[in-house]
Amino acid sequence: MSGSHGIGSEGSGEQCRLLAPSLAAFVEGALPPAEMQAIAAHVAGCGWCAAEVAAYAAVTPLLREATSPTPPASLRAGLYARIAAEARRASQRHRTSKLEIVMRETDASQTSAVSAPTQPDRPPSRRRPSPAIARWGGLVAAVLVVGLLAGVLSTRLPGRNTMGQVPRPTATATVQRACAPNDIQASLPARSSLTDLAMTGPDTGWAVGSVADSDLLPTTSHTLILRLSDCQWQPISYSVPNASLESVAAVSPNEIWVVGTQGQGPLLLHYKDGVWSTAVPLIVAADLDAFLLVRAQPNGEVWIAGRTPFSLRGSSTIVLLHLADGQWTRIETPLDDVSDLAPDGPGDAWLVGTKSSSQVYEFAHVQGGALTQEIPANPGIELTKLHMLAANDGWAVGYVPVGGNDTGNNPLIMRPLVLHYDGTRWTQEPGGAMYASARGIDVFGQGMAWAYYTNGGSPEYIVSTRREVGGSWKNVAWPFNDVQSISRLTCVTSDDCWALGSYPLPDRNIGGVVVKGFGSLLLRFANGGWYEYGHVK
């Protein structure tokens, strides 16, 4: 490719000059996924750009260690004027169109790299930055000063809750290498259980759950947070005692929210740029005993479904907490249980759950800080998952009884069903034989779905999976013989998905008591096949 160079090159080429204005944003994980992947592919083979990335990466820890100065009052006007001038100059360089060219060239270079001769490894040389880098550096400096200014001012705002902040080394500056499925490793502690995951890319993501403190019940537990980085799923060192985690959501690769329960109260964890905090919005969550679900949007909005104790009102109720523009608001709902929660634009979200008075599942729609719609589903239907793609495109997955009366001799038989929202109403989608015989279904959009099938016995194991692409169903080989369930299926692309699985552990005799248990594992669909990680053989 014209202008490209490898690890041993002497300086930047045309591609480097086009990418240079985006390297600082790449370090902070602030670019769209396609741009992040294109730049990562280039940086992995370019010593000059790798050095630039390392230089930007060194800024964050230095700022964290430095004492925040108190800026003079005259700084603000001049600072914003400088930023505006730099932004005007940056806009004239048409960064977006140039990045698209680079991304296309990157794809072409990756395709041709198989037959290209490798260059000898030697340290990249440093040369004077190009004018594009120099201009971007001025804007970065201005933005860093804004960050310092914001940090100083925020520490002086009354009522700001910063308790429990624990600094951790940031991993946001590390260039993640692409991971072949067989290269990935997972380290899960003994007695661990995973409940949710949030992927920020094919090779980056988070999974949460808990680790039991004893083999025997009843027992306490402590939190478990796994991070996929550099082809390794590993527990982070940050852990909360007497607690368990239920749900995780990512705003960006460098910011996540995690919810659960600690003791008899709700637990909210926030990670941003290497720092964990345990601050809970106490005013809006004062009477809750647990946080059950969390969802986040790229604009920074966060939705949390919490639960009030049964003893408080004679029944539990579901409460929504909404974070927007730095403010938490509370929205009461008529539900006493919740299955899933899905944002649908700024200030807009759907949830599905049940009422104690009817035990009928229903959809609840929140807009502008208030409950605006309640739509009951047909009696007997159980709703478990919800995906909102747009205001007029939503998908719900659940089960419908097809036989049996739920007795030992005649157990209740449930089959998957799919509902679609067109902006006006929820209607059942015809599934034919695929839905009738499946044990589980997950839908990600029109013509995009997964289904899995079991042996129907006891114990029940998955025996096959099928994938719908463009409206056509195809078999996908299932290579495992003891996985019993697939949950939290998350597709980064249509051809790359992650999920949680469970499998039975060998019976253990502890003090004369036979203990049965289940283990958690991570599943990935990539390169047309399934892979598993963390399975204890």
Side-chain angles (χ1 to χ4, degrees):
M1 179 180 67
S2 175
S4 63
H5 60 284
I7 293 176
S9 63
E10 295 300 323
S12 64
E14 177 62 20
Q15 184 177 1
C16 302
R17 286 191 288 273
L18 293 176
L19 289 178
S22 300
L23 292 181
F26 168 76
V27 169
E28 292 301 319
L31 298 174
E35 293 185 18
M36 292 289 291
Q37 292 175 8
I39 295 176
H42 172 78
V43 170
C46 174
W48 193 87
C49 287
E52 292 297 311
V53 167
Y56 285 129
V59 173
T60 299
L62 291 175
L63 288 177
R64 186 172 290 116
E65 294 172 1
T67 302
S68 298
T70 301
S74 60
L75 175 62
R76 185 185 300 269
L79 182 59
Y80 288 156
R82 181 179 177 184
I83 293 173
E86 292 289 348
R88 285 193 297 271
R89 285 194 290 269
S91 66
Q92 296 171 0
R93 294 194 297 269
H94 305 290
R95 184 180 71 85
T96 301
S97 61
K98 291 182 178 180
L99 270 178
E100 290 173 353
I101 296 173
V102 171
M103 290 165 64
R104 288 195 294 270
E105 292 180 347
T106 298
D107 292 339
S109 68
Q110 289 175 319
T111 302
S112 62
V114 175
S115 58
T118 58
Q119 300 186 21
D121 277 342
R122 62 179 189 268
S125 62
R126 298 290 294 172
R127 60 179 292 181
R128 184 179 179 181
S130 67
I133 296 177
R135 288 195 298 270
W136 177 248
L139 183 56
V140 168
V143 172
L144 290 176
V145 176
V146 171
L148 285 173
L149 177 62
V152 172
L153 296 178
S154 64
T155 59
R156 298 180 180 179
L157 291 176
R160 182 178 175 88
N161 192 341
T162 58
M163 67 177 183
Q165 289 192 352
V166 181
R168 300 288 175 189
T170 179
T172 61
T174 302
V175 178
Q176 298 295 332
R177 64 186 176 96
C179 304
N182 286 326
D183 291 340
I184 295 177
Q185 303 293 322
S187 176
L188 274 69
R191 301 189 301 271
S192 62
S193 176
L194 297 177
T195 56
D196 198 10
L197 80 167
M199 304 306 300
T200 57
D203 306 311
T204 57
W206 303 79
V208 301
S210 60
V211 180
D213 295 324
S214 170
D215 287 315
L216 293 176
L217 297 177
T219 181
T220 57
S221 63
H222 58 273
T223 60
L224 171 64
I225 302 175
L226 301 178
R227 186 172 192 179
L228 174 59
S229 178
D230 197 26
C231 306
Q232 295 277 339
W233 281 102
Q234 290 187 328
I236 67 169
S237 59
Y238 184 64
S239 182
V240 180
N242 192 27
S244 61
L245 301 176
E246 297 295 335
S247 185
V248 57
V251 176
S252 70
N254 304 326
E255 182 177 8
I256 67 167
W257 294 84
V258 189
V259 300
T261 305
Q262 183 179 23
Q264 301 299 315
L267 176 63
L268 173 63
L269 304 178
H270 182 215
Y271 171 89
K272 186 173 183 180
D273 297 332
V275 176
W276 285 96
S277 62
T278 57
V280 175
L282 297 177
I283 296 177
V284 293
D287 59 343
L288 303 183
D289 66 354
F291 287 147
L292 307 175
L293 293 167
V294 61
R295 301 289 184 260
Q297 296 172 270
N299 67 355
E301 284 193 31
V302 178
W303 295 85
I304 297 175
R307 183 187 64 205
T308 62
F310 179 87
S311 59
L312 190 64
R313 303 175 185 175
S315 65
S316 298
T317 58
I318 298 301
V319 174
L320 281 183
L321 304 183
H322 179 219
L323 175 64
D325 298 324
Q327 297 293 323
W328 287 97
T329 58
R330 173 174 172 141
I331 305 165
E332 306 289 339
T333 82
L335 304 178
D336 63 2
D337 196 9
V338 61
S339 298
D340 206 356
L341 167 65
D344 182 22
D348 195 333
W350 286 84
L351 66 160
V352 293
T354 58
K355 290 181 181 178
S356 58
S357 58
S358 63
Q359 292 302 310
V360 172
Y361 279 81
E362 68 173 50
F363 298 89
H365 191 192
V366 173
Q367 293 177 296
L371 186 70
T372 59
Q373 278 182 295
E374 293 181 57
I375 306 174
N378 292 334
I381 287 178
E382 178 182 343
L383 298 174
T384 58
K385 301 173 186 175
L386 187 60
H387 298 288
M388 297 303 301
L389 306 180
N392 60 350
D393 190 9
W395 297 85
V397 176
Y399 296 89
V400 60
V402 295
N405 59 9
D406 206 18
T407 64
N409 295 327
N410 191 17
L412 186 64
I413 300 175
M414 305 285 286
R415 293 300 182 194
L417 86 159
V418 176
L419 303 177
H420 180 237
Y421 181 70
D422 61 4
T424 303
R425 59 177 183 165
W426 291 90
T427 55
Q428 185 170 337
E429 288 285 294
M434 291 298 177
Y435 292 179
S437 58
R439 183 64 180 89
I441 294 281
D442 209 343
V443 177
F444 296 93
Q446 188 67 50
M448 298 180 292
W450 277 93
Y452 73 87
Y453 305 80
T454 67
N455 59 359
S458 181
E460 188 176 26
Y461 296 114
I462 296 174
V463 295
S464 64
T465 61
R466 288 175 180 170
R467 176 189 179 205
E468 184 187 20
V469 180
S472 176
W473 284 92
K474 297 181 179 180
N475 292 327
V476 179
W478 183 254
F480 319 119
N481 58 16
D482 66 344
V483 177
Q484 296 187 302
S485 68
I486 298 175
S487 63
R488 307 300 187 187
L489 186 64
T490 302
C491 290
V492 182
T493 70
S494 60
D495 297 318
D496 202 319
C497 303
W498 284 88
L500 302 179
S502 67
Y503 64 98
L505 296 171
D507 291 348
R508 291 170 294 170
N509 191 312
I510 302 176
V513 177
V514 176
V515 178
K516 296 180 178 292
F518 296 89
S520 292
L521 53 83
L522 293 141
L523 299 166
R524 185 184 188 184
F525 171 78
N527 297 342
W530 285 102
Y531 300 82
E532 65 174 16
Y533 311 97
H535 192 305
V536 179
K537 304 295 185 180

